[in-house]
Amino acid sequence: MGNSIIETPNLFRSRYFETIAYKETLIEFMQSGARWISAPKPRLLDHGYNIQDKAQLSLNNHEPVFDAANVIRAGRDLFYLVSDSGNRLGMQWLQNAVGHDYTVHELSPSIYSSVHIDSTLSFLRPGLLLANPARVNEDNIPDILKKWEIIYAPKMTEYSYSDIKPSSSKWLGMNLLMLSPTLAVVDKHQTELIKLLEKRGIDVLPTLLRHGRTLGGGFHCITLDVRRKSKLESYF
């Protein structure tokens, strides 16, 4: 965000040392003027997870834990999904870390309680929001987002290149990447979504991410824009 890059406190023990792979890149960013912040490493003790009550979230609220993909940003506003991959202590830590320049808004687990937000909500451009019709409705979306025009994604086209059971839902099809307010990278199989975006004046680059559902990630998941030409604005 701006000139800041934040290492997040991931909930998976298997990913505990993940950012070591990017350490040289982080150092390069810091040397070029970036503000490099690392969230406190979580202990990930057994009592931090809820494995008894399946009706409740899988994360307890014992220490700050969240994924970067629990958060989407629109200018000075950050929207944080409380879910199985991000707890409220994580949201509190993030607000403390970003200070008064940004406001962190809670997205309720009633929107989506599993993991990340980027197959549930997508910011297309200021004032226009793409939402997942199976998860989002007038009752669970924050009032601040009701100020924008909300369009709902069409039915997703399901496909597979592998016999392995997909680790992501069919809604990975709406996990798109906005390169500008008028240009989107979209799964080329999602022809109805492409038509919907084009009707809204958004050009589309139809692209193939062959094993996205098998590996559990779409275009937004695998991208981090670290250099951009723009100014920080408030859209609400």
Side-chain angles (χ1 to χ4, degrees), residues 12-38:
F12 292 105
R13 291 168 174 169
S14 60
R15 297 177 62 182
Y16 197 80
F17 299 105
E18 184 174 61
T19 54
I20 290 177
Y22 310 106
K23 193 70 70 174
E24 293 301 323
T25 302
L26 293 169
I27 291 171
E28 177 189 337
F29 291 157
M30 183 192 70
Q31 290 176 328
S32 65
R35 179 172 174 252
W36 174 14
I37 304 170
S38 181

Side-chain angles (χ1 to χ4, degrees), residues 23-233:
K23 193 70 70 174
E24 293 301 323
T25 302
L26 293 169
I27 291 171
E28 177 189 337
F29 291 157
M30 183 192 70
Q31 290 176 328
S32 65
R35 179 172 174 252
W36 174 14
I37 304 170
S38 181
K41 280 288 188 184
R43 294 164 295 175
L44 302 182
L45 302 175
D46 287 353
H47 70 265
Y49 302 96
N50 167 35
I51 58 175
Q52 286 81 28
D53 187 356
K54 293 184 178 180
Q56 302 297 319
L57 294 177
S58 297
L59 274 179
N60 292 322
N61 208 40
H62 290 310
E63 58 183 346
V65 183
F66 67 98
D67 261 353
N70 275 72
V71 184
I72 52 174
R73 180 170 70 91
R76 295 184 180 274
D77 292 273
L78 297 140
F79 295 85
Y80 180 108
L81 179 67
V82 175
S83 70
D84 288 341
S85 58
N87 59 18
R88 287 185 172 85
L89 271 179
M91 182 174 66
Q92 181 180 347
W93 179 90
L94 181 61
Q95 181 66 81
N96 291 343
V98 300
H100 299 296
D101 289 336
Y102 299 88
T103 301
V104 180
H105 306 271
E106 178 178 333
L107 294 174
S108 165
S110 67
I111 291 179
Y112 184 52
S113 63
S114 184
V115 283
H116 302 151
I117 189 59
D118 45 9
S119 291
T120 301
L121 296 174
S122 293
F123 293 136
L124 301 178
R125 61 172 176 252
L128 185 62
L129 172 68
L130 178 69
N132 185 324
R135 301 170 186 170
V136 178
N137 56 62
E138 290 187 358
D139 295 328
N140 62 19
I141 196 167
D143 288 340
I144 189 172
L145 289 179
K146 294 178 183 178
K147 299 177 182 179
W148 281 20
E149 180 185 2
I150 301 173
I151 59 174
Y152 289 90
K155 183 179 179 180
M156 296 288 104
T157 300
E158 294 197 61
Y159 64 93
S160 177
Y161 290 97
S162 171
D163 293 332
I164 301 173
K165 183 180 178 180
S167 62
S168 298
S169 80
K170 64 181 181 180
W171 293 107
L172 191 69
M174 65 169 284
N175 189 295
L176 53 84
L177 175 65
M178 296 302 300
L179 298 179
S180 78
T182 58
L183 183 60
V185 177
V186 182
D187 182 343
K188 74 174 189 178
H189 294 89
Q190 306 305 330
T191 54
E192 293 303 311
L193 176 58
I194 291 171
K195 292 177 184 177
L196 176 65
L197 296 176
E198 289 176 338
K199 287 180 180 178
R200 296 290 172 158
I202 298 173
D203 294 326
V204 172
L205 291 174
T207 309
L208 178 64
L209 189 60
R210 188 179 300 273
H211 295 294
R213 286 192 67 191
T214 303
L215 298 175
F219 300 111
H220 189 273
C221 294
I222 63 172
T223 309
L224 177 63
D225 53 327
V226 295
R227 293 183 177 89
R228 63 185 78 87
K229 294 180 180 179
S230 62
K231 62 179 180 179
L232 183 60
E233 298 181 63

